[in-house]
Amino acid sequence: MWENSVCSKDIAKVKDDQEWEIIETRKALSRTGPVEAYKPKKISLEEELKALQEKVDINNYEYKKIPKPNEGKPS
């Protein structure tokens, strides 16, 4: 009976150590961030606007009425 108690304490300690290691690793990653993972393109707002205008034609669209929350419900 005494051996089970010691064994379960050892298992709990190992589990706590593993959780502590995971937490510390997460903290380190959040401080440093992924290495060279995200490199945004250097584009100006004007270039971004031109690209968007090529995708969307604001002069040619189909109008669809969006119902208001109280519309269409019987009183």
Side-chain angles (χ1 to χ4, degrees):
M1 191 169 184
W2 171 252
E3 292 175 14
N4 285 343
S5 169
V6 171
C7 184
S8 65
K9 286 182 182 177
D10 290 344
I11 291 172
K13 181 172 180 357
V14 168
K15 187 176 178 190
D16 286 346
D17 290 346
Q18 288 174 342
E19 288 177 0
W20 180 257
E21 190 175 326
I22 290 169
I23 290 169
E24 288 303 309
T25 303
R26 254 191 216 148
K27 284 181 186 175
L29 283 174
S30 66
R31 276 195 300 271
T32 60
V35 181
E36 301 295 323
Y38 177 66
K39 292 183 179 178
K41 295 178 183 176
K42 304 279 190 219
I43 61 170
S44 68
L45 285 175
E46 289 82 10
E47 290 171 346
E48 193 175 338
L49 178 62
K50 284 180 189 175
L52 189 61
Q53 284 174 336
E54 289 173 6
K55 289 181 188 176
V56 179
D57 183 9
I58 63 169
N59 297 318
N60 184 18
Y61 62 91
E62 183 181 336
Y63 177 76
K64 292 184 180 180
K65 186 177 180 187
I66 299 173
K68 293 180 183 173
N70 296 333
E71 268 183 28
K73 292 182 181 177
S75 297

